[in-house]
Amino acid sequence: MAKRVAVLAVNPVNGMGLFQYLEAFYEHKIPFMVYAVSGSNEIRTNSGMGLTVNSTIAELKGHEDEFDALVFSCGDAIPVFQQHASEPWNVDLMEVLRAFSKRGKLMIGHCAGAMMFELAGITAGKRVAVHPLAKAAIQQGTATDEPSVVDGNFFTAQTEGTIWTMMPQLLERLEA
């Protein structure tokens, strides 16, 4: 049976990245739920398209055992994360990232995903692909210049344009 995936979508989310994951999961019959990293399940893509997702990150907390994997789908909200780190949904984000990692779940992200994993304190000893502008933020893990990196249960891609380079390995693990 395929593994269940919780997909986190920041507001605004990078639609190109998000939809690559969702399309692949749908086509491969991998069950998923999308959670907004926001106070509402009404979010936008970085191009302005409105989306209604399944739920919010607050409602994912405490349900980590219902999923086998977590996707952090990056977006334009990341550059201002520091300014809004104390918002309830961003506090929940850090807690959820730690909870999934502590349980050994698959941790998947692109662009600044590895930077968010770093901020959550879960990259120690891991090699990660991260957007070139976020590379300096990786201190506990090892940032690479590779398009994507699979290191144990961590699947990271440098940008939304390189998600496809890790997708075959990711789908294989999710379908196992």
mmCIF file of all heavy atoms in Angstrom, residues 19-54:
data_model
loop_
_atom_site.group_PDB
_atom_site.id
_atom_site.type_symbol
_atom_site.label_atom_id
_atom_site.label_comp_id
_atom_site.label_asym_id
_atom_site.label_seq_id
_atom_site.Cartn_x
_atom_site.Cartn_y
_atom_site.Cartn_z
ATOM 1 N N PHE A 19 2.195 21.920 -7.531
ATOM 2 C CA PHE A 19 1.434 21.101 -8.474
ATOM 3 C C PHE A 19 2.247 19.930 -9.021
ATOM 4 O O PHE A 19 1.682 18.905 -9.384
ATOM 5 C CB PHE A 19 0.851 21.965 -9.595
ATOM 6 C CG PHE A 19 -0.159 22.961 -9.082
ATOM 7 C CD1 PHE A 19 -0.152 24.268 -9.539
ATOM 8 C CD2 PHE A 19 -1.099 22.614 -8.127
ATOM 9 C CE1 PHE A 19 -1.074 25.194 -9.061
ATOM 10 C CE2 PHE A 19 -2.024 23.525 -7.645
ATOM 11 C CZ PHE A 19 -2.011 24.823 -8.121
ATOM 12 N N GLN A 20 3.571 20.036 -9.047
ATOM 13 C CA GLN A 20 4.379 18.876 -9.456
ATOM 14 C C GLN A 20 4.196 17.730 -8.474
ATOM 15 O O GLN A 20 4.018 16.577 -8.874
ATOM 16 C CB GLN A 20 5.862 19.239 -9.526
ATOM 17 C CG GLN A 20 6.237 20.054 -10.742
ATOM 18 C CD GLN A 20 7.713 20.336 -10.749
ATOM 19 O OE1 GLN A 20 8.509 19.442 -11.014
ATOM 20 N NE2 GLN A 20 8.080 21.571 -10.450
ATOM 21 N N TYR A 21 4.251 18.047 -7.184
ATOM 22 C CA TYR A 21 4.039 17.005 -6.180
ATOM 23 C C TYR A 21 2.632 16.422 -6.301
ATOM 24 O O TYR A 21 2.448 15.207 -6.358
ATOM 25 C CB TYR A 21 4.212 17.562 -4.758
ATOM 26 C CG TYR A 21 5.594 18.015 -4.409
ATOM 27 C CD1 TYR A 21 5.851 19.353 -4.120
ATOM 28 C CD2 TYR A 21 6.652 17.119 -4.319
ATOM 29 C CE1 TYR A 21 7.121 19.787 -3.759
ATOM 30 C CE2 TYR A 21 7.929 17.540 -3.955
ATOM 31 C CZ TYR A 21 8.147 18.874 -3.681
ATOM 32 O OH TYR A 21 9.404 19.300 -3.323
ATOM 33 N N LEU A 22 1.632 17.295 -6.310
ATOM 34 C CA LEU A 22 0.247 16.825 -6.303
ATOM 35 C C LEU A 22 -0.080 15.992 -7.529
ATOM 36 O O LEU A 22 -0.740 14.950 -7.421
ATOM 37 C CB LEU A 22 -0.719 18.011 -6.187
ATOM 38 C CG LEU A 22 -0.564 18.887 -4.942
ATOM 39 C CD1 LEU A 22 -1.646 19.949 -4.895
ATOM 40 C CD2 LEU A 22 -0.525 18.072 -3.673
ATOM 41 N N GLU A 23 0.386 16.427 -8.681
ATOM 42 C CA GLU A 23 0.135 15.664 -9.916
ATOM 43 C C GLU A 23 0.789 14.282 -9.847
ATOM 44 O O GLU A 23 0.173 13.275 -10.181
ATOM 45 C CB GLU A 23 0.667 16.439 -11.126
ATOM 46 C CG GLU A 23 0.494 15.680 -12.412
ATOM 47 C CD GLU A 23 -0.483 16.316 -13.354
ATOM 48 O OE1 GLU A 23 -1.082 17.338 -13.014
ATOM 49 O OE2 GLU A 23 -0.639 15.768 -14.444
ATOM 50 N N ALA A 24 2.037 14.239 -9.406
ATOM 51 C CA ALA A 24 2.745 12.951 -9.304
ATOM 52 C C ALA A 24 2.042 12.032 -8.309
ATOM 53 O O ALA A 24 1.858 10.835 -8.574
ATOM 54 C CB ALA A 24 4.203 13.173 -8.898
ATOM 55 N N PHE A 25 1.638 12.575 -7.155
ATOM 56 C CA PHE A 25 0.959 11.749 -6.165
ATOM 57 C C PHE A 25 -0.376 11.243 -6.712
ATOM 58 O O PHE A 25 -0.717 10.069 -6.548
ATOM 59 C CB PHE A 25 0.742 12.522 -4.863
ATOM 60 C CG PHE A 25 2.018 12.968 -4.190
ATOM 61 C CD1 PHE A 25 1.991 13.983 -3.250
ATOM 62 C CD2 PHE A 25 3.244 12.392 -4.486
ATOM 63 C CE1 PHE A 25 3.150 14.405 -2.608
ATOM 64 C CE2 PHE A 25 4.418 12.804 -3.862
ATOM 65 C CZ PHE A 25 4.360 13.820 -2.921
ATOM 66 N N TYR A 26 -1.120 12.121 -7.368
ATOM 67 C CA TYR A 26 -2.406 11.723 -7.943
ATOM 68 C C TYR A 26 -2.229 10.621 -8.989
ATOM 69 O O TYR A 26 -2.922 9.611 -8.961
ATOM 70 C CB TYR A 26 -3.097 12.954 -8.556
ATOM 71 C CG TYR A 26 -4.417 12.622 -9.185
ATOM 72 C CD1 TYR A 26 -5.562 12.458 -8.405
ATOM 73 C CD2 TYR A 26 -4.528 12.456 -10.565
ATOM 74 C CE1 TYR A 26 -6.778 12.144 -8.978
ATOM 75 C CE2 TYR A 26 -5.739 12.138 -11.151
ATOM 76 C CZ TYR A 26 -6.858 11.979 -10.354
ATOM 77 O OH TYR A 26 -8.060 11.655 -10.930
ATOM 78 N N GLU A 27 -1.293 10.834 -9.906
ATOM 79 C CA GLU A 27 -1.069 9.855 -10.983
ATOM 80 C C GLU A 27 -0.601 8.504 -10.451
ATOM 81 O O GLU A 27 -0.875 7.476 -11.063
ATOM 82 C CB GLU A 27 -0.046 10.398 -11.984
ATOM 83 C CG GLU A 27 -0.588 11.508 -12.846
ATOM 84 C CD GLU A 27 0.433 12.077 -13.804
ATOM 85 O OE1 GLU A 27 1.631 11.671 -13.767
ATOM 86 O OE2 GLU A 27 0.052 12.939 -14.603
ATOM 87 N N HIS A 28 0.098 8.508 -9.322
ATOM 88 C CA HIS A 28 0.628 7.262 -8.757
ATOM 89 C C HIS A 28 -0.241 6.729 -7.616
ATOM 90 O O HIS A 28 0.182 5.819 -6.895
ATOM 91 C CB HIS A 28 2.075 7.478 -8.296
ATOM 92 C CG HIS A 28 3.016 7.608 -9.447
ATOM 93 N ND1 HIS A 28 3.744 6.555 -9.932
ATOM 94 C CD2 HIS A 28 3.303 8.668 -10.240
ATOM 95 C CE1 HIS A 28 4.461 6.954 -10.965
ATOM 96 N NE2 HIS A 28 4.205 8.240 -11.177
ATOM 97 N N LYS A 29 -1.429 7.326 -7.473
ATOM 98 C CA LYS A 29 -2.395 6.887 -6.459
ATOM 99 C C LYS A 29 -1.811 6.888 -5.039
ATOM 100 O O LYS A 29 -2.066 5.986 -4.242
ATOM 101 C CB LYS A 29 -2.966 5.517 -6.819
ATOM 102 C CG LYS A 29 -3.748 5.545 -8.123
ATOM 103 C CD LYS A 29 -4.276 4.172 -8.494
ATOM 104 C CE LYS A 29 -5.141 4.180 -9.719
ATOM 105 N NZ LYS A 29 -4.641 4.765 -10.901
ATOM 106 N N ILE A 30 -1.035 7.911 -4.761
ATOM 107 C CA ILE A 30 -0.457 8.102 -3.428
ATOM 108 C C ILE A 30 -1.370 9.071 -2.676
ATOM 109 O O ILE A 30 -1.539 10.217 -3.095
ATOM 110 C CB ILE A 30 0.987 8.648 -3.528
ATOM 111 C CG1 ILE A 30 1.874 7.607 -4.207
ATOM 112 C CG2 ILE A 30 1.517 9.034 -2.155
ATOM 113 C CD1 ILE A 30 3.220 8.101 -4.637
ATOM 114 N N PRO A 31 -1.988 8.620 -1.592
ATOM 115 C CA PRO A 31 -2.911 9.500 -0.872
ATOM 116 C C PRO A 31 -2.190 10.685 -0.221
ATOM 117 O O PRO A 31 -1.105 10.520 0.337
ATOM 118 C CB PRO A 31 -3.522 8.591 0.196
ATOM 119 C CG PRO A 31 -2.846 7.274 0.104
ATOM 120 C CD PRO A 31 -1.868 7.301 -1.019
ATOM 121 N N PHE A 32 -2.810 11.856 -0.314
ATOM 122 C CA PHE A 32 -2.215 13.065 0.262
ATOM 123 C C PHE A 32 -3.299 14.000 0.765
ATOM 124 O O PHE A 32 -4.447 13.927 0.340
ATOM 125 C CB PHE A 32 -1.322 13.783 -0.757
ATOM 126 C CG PHE A 32 -2.071 14.304 -1.952
ATOM 127 C CD1 PHE A 32 -2.629 15.581 -1.943
ATOM 128 C CD2 PHE A 32 -2.212 13.525 -3.089
ATOM 129 C CE1 PHE A 32 -3.325 16.064 -3.051
ATOM 130 C CE2 PHE A 32 -2.902 13.992 -4.198
ATOM 131 C CZ PHE A 32 -3.460 15.265 -4.171
ATOM 132 N N MET A 33 -2.889 14.865 1.675
ATOM 133 C CA MET A 33 -3.726 15.962 2.170
ATOM 134 C C MET A 33 -2.857 17.213 2.115
ATOM 135 O O MET A 33 -1.662 17.150 2.414
ATOM 136 C CB MET A 33 -4.161 15.732 3.613
ATOM 137 C CG MET A 33 -5.043 14.519 3.830
ATOM 138 S SD MET A 33 -6.778 14.825 3.508
ATOM 139 C CE MET A 33 -7.193 15.965 4.801
ATOM 140 N N VAL A 34 -3.465 18.337 1.752
ATOM 141 C CA VAL A 34 -2.728 19.600 1.677
ATOM 142 C C VAL A 34 -3.147 20.493 2.843
ATOM 143 O O VAL A 34 -4.341 20.728 3.064
ATOM 144 C CB VAL A 34 -2.977 20.319 0.336
ATOM 145 C CG1 VAL A 34 -2.170 21.620 0.263
ATOM 146 C CG2 VAL A 34 -2.641 19.409 -0.844
ATOM 147 N N TYR A 35 -2.132 20.965 3.567
ATOM 148 C CA TYR A 35 -2.340 21.819 4.732
ATOM 149 C C TYR A 35 -1.716 23.188 4.488
ATOM 150 O O TYR A 35 -0.540 23.283 4.143
ATOM 151 C CB TYR A 35 -1.682 21.189 5.972
ATOM 152 C CG TYR A 35 -2.344 19.901 6.388
ATOM 153 C CD1 TYR A 35 -1.929 18.691 5.841
ATOM 154 C CD2 TYR A 35 -3.389 19.905 7.301
ATOM 155 C CE1 TYR A 35 -2.543 17.502 6.205
ATOM 156 C CE2 TYR A 35 -4.007 18.722 7.675
ATOM 157 C CZ TYR A 35 -3.582 17.522 7.120
ATOM 158 O OH TYR A 35 -4.193 16.348 7.486
ATOM 159 N N ALA A 36 -2.507 24.231 4.693
ATOM 160 C CA ALA A 36 -2.005 25.596 4.551
ATOM 161 C C ALA A 36 -1.190 25.989 5.775
ATOM 162 O O ALA A 36 -1.615 25.752 6.910
ATOM 163 C CB ALA A 36 -3.162 26.569 4.382
ATOM 164 N N VAL A 37 -0.012 26.550 5.533
ATOM 165 C CA VAL A 37 0.767 27.152 6.615
ATOM 166 C C VAL A 37 0.246 28.584 6.704
ATOM 167 O O VAL A 37 0.822 29.533 6.182
ATOM 168 C CB VAL A 37 2.285 27.086 6.336
ATOM 169 C CG1 VAL A 37 3.062 27.715 7.494
ATOM 170 C CG2 VAL A 37 2.720 25.643 6.098
ATOM 171 N N SER A 38 -0.909 28.691 7.322
ATOM 172 C CA SER A 38 -1.663 29.932 7.355
ATOM 173 C C SER A 38 -2.769 29.786 8.394
ATOM 174 O O SER A 38 -3.026 28.680 8.874
ATOM 175 C CB SER A 38 -2.270 30.162 5.952
ATOM 176 O OG SER A 38 -3.105 31.292 5.926
ATOM 177 N N GLY A 39 -3.434 30.865 8.686
ATOM 178 C CA GLY A 39 -4.561 30.816 9.603
ATOM 179 C C GLY A 39 -5.845 30.354 8.943
ATOM 180 O O GLY A 39 -6.855 30.168 9.604
ATOM 181 N N SER A 40 -5.817 30.155 7.635
ATOM 182 C CA SER A 40 -6.997 29.765 6.868
ATOM 183 C C SER A 40 -6.598 28.754 5.804
ATOM 184 O O SER A 40 -5.446 28.735 5.367
ATOM 185 C CB SER A 40 -7.578 31.020 6.194
ATOM 186 O OG SER A 40 -8.452 30.680 5.149
ATOM 187 N N ASN A 41 -7.540 27.965 5.356
ATOM 188 C CA ASN A 41 -7.239 27.036 4.266
ATOM 189 C C ASN A 41 -7.410 27.690 2.896
ATOM 190 O O ASN A 41 -7.272 27.036 1.874
ATOM 191 C CB ASN A 41 -8.059 25.748 4.382
ATOM 192 C CG ASN A 41 -9.528 25.947 4.101
ATOM 193 O OD1 ASN A 41 -10.073 27.034 4.311
ATOM 194 N ND2 ASN A 41 -10.187 24.898 3.658
ATOM 195 N N GLU A 42 -7.641 28.974 2.882
ATOM 196 C CA GLU A 42 -7.718 29.754 1.636
ATOM 197 C C GLU A 42 -6.356 30.421 1.439
ATOM 198 O O GLU A 42 -5.981 31.316 2.213
ATOM 199 C CB GLU A 42 -8.811 30.822 1.725
ATOM 200 C CG GLU A 42 -10.197 30.289 1.982
ATOM 201 C CD GLU A 42 -10.803 29.603 0.769
ATOM 202 O OE1 GLU A 42 -10.485 30.009 -0.372
ATOM 203 O OE2 GLU A 42 -11.586 28.662 0.973
ATOM 204 N N ILE A 43 -5.610 29.981 0.423
ATOM 205 C CA ILE A 43 -4.284 30.546 0.147
ATOM 206 C C ILE A 43 -4.199 30.944 -1.319
ATOM 207 O O ILE A 43 -5.142 30.727 -2.083
ATOM 208 C CB ILE A 43 -3.153 29.562 0.522
ATOM 209 C CG1 ILE A 43 -3.243 28.268 -0.297
ATOM 210 C CG2 ILE A 43 -3.177 29.270 2.028
ATOM 211 C CD1 ILE A 43 -2.056 27.333 -0.112
ATOM 212 N N ARG A 44 -3.054 31.478 -1.700
ATOM 213 C CA ARG A 44 -2.811 31.879 -3.091
ATOM 214 C C ARG A 44 -1.486 31.311 -3.546
ATOM 215 O O ARG A 44 -0.595 31.042 -2.753
ATOM 216 C CB ARG A 44 -2.750 33.408 -3.204
ATOM 217 C CG ARG A 44 -4.055 34.095 -2.872
ATOM 218 C CD ARG A 44 -4.108 35.451 -3.539
ATOM 219 N NE ARG A 44 -5.403 36.039 -3.634
ATOM 220 C CZ ARG A 44 -6.463 35.567 -4.293
ATOM 221 N NH1 ARG A 44 -6.401 34.439 -4.891
ATOM 222 N NH2 ARG A 44 -7.591 36.228 -4.344
ATOM 223 N N THR A 45 -1.379 31.184 -4.858
ATOM 224 C CA THR A 45 -0.075 30.868 -5.434
ATOM 225 C C THR A 45 0.679 32.182 -5.567
ATOM 226 O O THR A 45 0.087 33.268 -5.470
ATOM 227 C CB THR A 45 -0.196 30.223 -6.830
ATOM 228 O OG1 THR A 45 -0.742 31.186 -7.736
ATOM 229 C CG2 THR A 45 -1.047 28.963 -6.801
ATOM 230 N N ASN A 46 1.967 32.100 -5.844
ATOM 231 C CA ASN A 46 2.743 33.330 -5.997
ATOM 232 C C ASN A 46 2.352 34.092 -7.257
ATOM 233 O O ASN A 46 2.743 35.233 -7.431
ATOM 234 C CB ASN A 46 4.244 33.069 -5.937
ATOM 235 C CG ASN A 46 4.701 32.016 -6.895
ATOM 236 O OD1 ASN A 46 3.934 31.495 -7.706
ATOM 237 N ND2 ASN A 46 5.973 31.669 -6.807
ATOM 238 N N SER A 47 1.566 33.479 -8.124
ATOM 239 C CA SER A 47 1.068 34.197 -9.302
ATOM 240 C C SER A 47 -0.337 34.749 -9.075
ATOM 241 O O SER A 47 -0.918 35.342 -9.971
ATOM 242 C CB SER A 47 1.085 33.278 -10.530
ATOM 243 O OG SER A 47 0.256 32.153 -10.305
ATOM 244 N N GLY A 48 -0.887 34.543 -7.853
ATOM 245 C CA GLY A 48 -2.165 35.142 -7.510
ATOM 246 C C GLY A 48 -3.380 34.237 -7.607
ATOM 247 O O GLY A 48 -4.484 34.656 -7.279
ATOM 248 N N MET A 49 -3.205 33.004 -8.051
ATOM 249 C CA MET A 49 -4.339 32.089 -8.173
ATOM 250 C C MET A 49 -4.797 31.643 -6.786
ATOM 251 O O MET A 49 -3.983 31.225 -5.965
ATOM 252 C CB MET A 49 -3.931 30.864 -9.005
ATOM 253 C CG MET A 49 -5.074 29.921 -9.275
ATOM 254 S SD MET A 49 -4.594 28.623 -10.425
ATOM 255 C CE MET A 49 -4.070 27.383 -9.260
ATOM 256 N N GLY A 50 -6.070 31.735 -6.499
ATOM 257 C CA GLY A 50 -6.608 31.318 -5.214
ATOM 258 C C GLY A 50 -6.766 29.815 -5.128
ATOM 259 O O GLY A 50 -7.151 29.161 -6.101
ATOM 260 N N LEU A 51 -6.448 29.258 -3.967
ATOM 261 C CA LEU A 51 -6.579 27.822 -3.728
ATOM 262 C C LEU A 51 -7.288 27.599 -2.399
ATOM 263 O O LEU A 51 -7.033 28.319 -1.430
ATOM 264 C CB LEU A 51 -5.209 27.147 -3.624
ATOM 265 C CG LEU A 51 -4.275 27.188 -4.810
ATOM 266 C CD1 LEU A 51 -2.917 26.613 -4.418
ATOM 267 C CD2 LEU A 51 -4.863 26.398 -5.958
ATOM 268 N N THR A 52 -8.138 26.595 -2.368
ATOM 269 C CA THR A 52 -8.715 26.128 -1.116
ATOM 270 C C THR A 52 -8.126 24.748 -0.887
ATOM 271 O O THR A 52 -8.367 23.833 -1.672
ATOM 272 C CB THR A 52 -10.253 26.049 -1.192
ATOM 273 O OG1 THR A 52 -10.761 27.341 -1.522
ATOM 274 C CG2 THR A 52 -10.836 25.580 0.132
ATOM 275 N N VAL A 53 -7.338 24.601 0.175
ATOM 276 C CA VAL A 53 -6.685 23.325 0.467
ATOM 277 C C VAL A 53 -7.466 22.601 1.558
ATOM 278 O O VAL A 53 -8.415 23.142 2.123
ATOM 279 C CB VAL A 53 -5.198 23.522 0.823
ATOM 280 C CG1 VAL A 53 -4.453 24.174 -0.346
ATOM 281 C CG2 VAL A 53 -5.018 24.344 2.084
ATOM 282 N N ASN A 54 -7.068 21.369 1.854
ATOM 283 C CA ASN A 54 -7.825 20.533 2.772
ATOM 284 C C ASN A 54 -8.000 21.114 4.164
ATOM 285 O O ASN A 54 -9.074 20.997 4.764
ATOM 286 C CB ASN A 54 -7.175 19.149 2.902
ATOM 287 C CG ASN A 54 -7.117 18.426 1.581
ATOM 288 O OD1 ASN A 54 -6.050 18.302 1.009
ATOM 289 N ND2 ASN A 54 -8.247 17.960 1.086
#
